[in-house]
Amino acid sequence: MSHNLLAPAPRECGETPTGTSPNVALIRSAYRAFHARDVAALLATFAADVRWVHPDSMSVYDLGGTKHGHAGVREFLARVPGVLGGMLLDPQEFVESGDRVVVFGERFVTSLRGRTERLKFVHSWTLRDGKVTVMEDIFDTVLLQRLIEG
């Protein structure tokens, strides 16, 4: 993640409420690492064979489909600054069911031309043995593509 990719979080997304499960705590630590632009800390939350999944329609920007392993995640993160001027994730609600944590939130995305839009997201995180094995990013690709192209 490049230095200009993310602005500081407007509120601390990594606060761990009393009673939070280990899975939710792990996901919160992944968001903290992302906000801090700490790729090593982010990857430390992922299994070596993690699948990083984004909508196929984002493939036109080399941001779609499934990336595999730590190298695939690094490749994805390295590509983002060539397409976007910045991004801030604001995870708002964490819902846990077994080995899955679903996060509802908003992202504030800035185009390369400096226009910022608020876009909702859903992240589905699957865990195994205390590590993320799948992260799927679900969002309105049409809105993001308009921002990228506009």
Side-chain angles (χ1 to χ4, degrees):
M1 287 177 259
S2 81
H3 181 65
N4 67 350
L5 180 61
L6 300 172
R11 61 188 170 93
E12 179 56 53
C13 70
E15 290 179 19
T16 305
T18 303
T20 295
S21 76
N23 285 347
V24 171
L26 180 73
I27 300 310
R28 288 181 182 276
S29 70
Y31 283 111
R32 280 194 308 272
F34 190 82
H35 282 280
R37 301 173 204 92
D38 187 343
V39 175
L42 178 64
L43 294 176
T45 65
F46 295 165
D49 62 347
V50 67
R51 288 184 297 130
W52 181 265
V53 184
H54 286 80
D56 288 336
S57 61
M58 295 304 294
S59 293
V60 68
Y61 309 105
D62 199 24
L63 297 177
T66 302
K67 308 298 185 206
H68 297 275
H70 290 191
V73 174
R74 277 193 196 97
E75 176 187 316
F76 176 90
L77 295 173
R79 176 72 181 122
V80 173
V83 177
L84 298 172
M87 183 183 307
L88 170 68
L89 298 177
D90 183 15
Q92 298 169 343
E93 182 180 354
F94 294 72
V95 179
E96 182 175 18
S97 178
D99 287 336
R100 177 167 289 179
V101 176
V102 176
V103 180
F104 298 88
E106 295 179 327
R107 70 178 93 215
F108 298 85
V109 182
T110 302
S111 71
L112 291 175
R113 293 174 184 85
R115 192 174 105 225
T116 301
E117 294 287 338
R118 179 180 63 130
L119 306 170
K120 294 182 181 207
F121 71 79
V122 176
H123 288 161
S124 174
W125 303 81
T126 304
L127 297 97
R128 179 186 69 235
D129 300 327
K131 297 283 185 178
V132 173
T133 59
V134 180
M135 192 294 294
E136 184 174 3
D137 191 1
I138 303 159
F139 59 93
D140 187 333
T141 60
V142 172
L143 291 177
L144 184 56
Q145 289 173 351
R146 284 184 190 152
L147 181 64
I148 292 169
E149 300 294 327

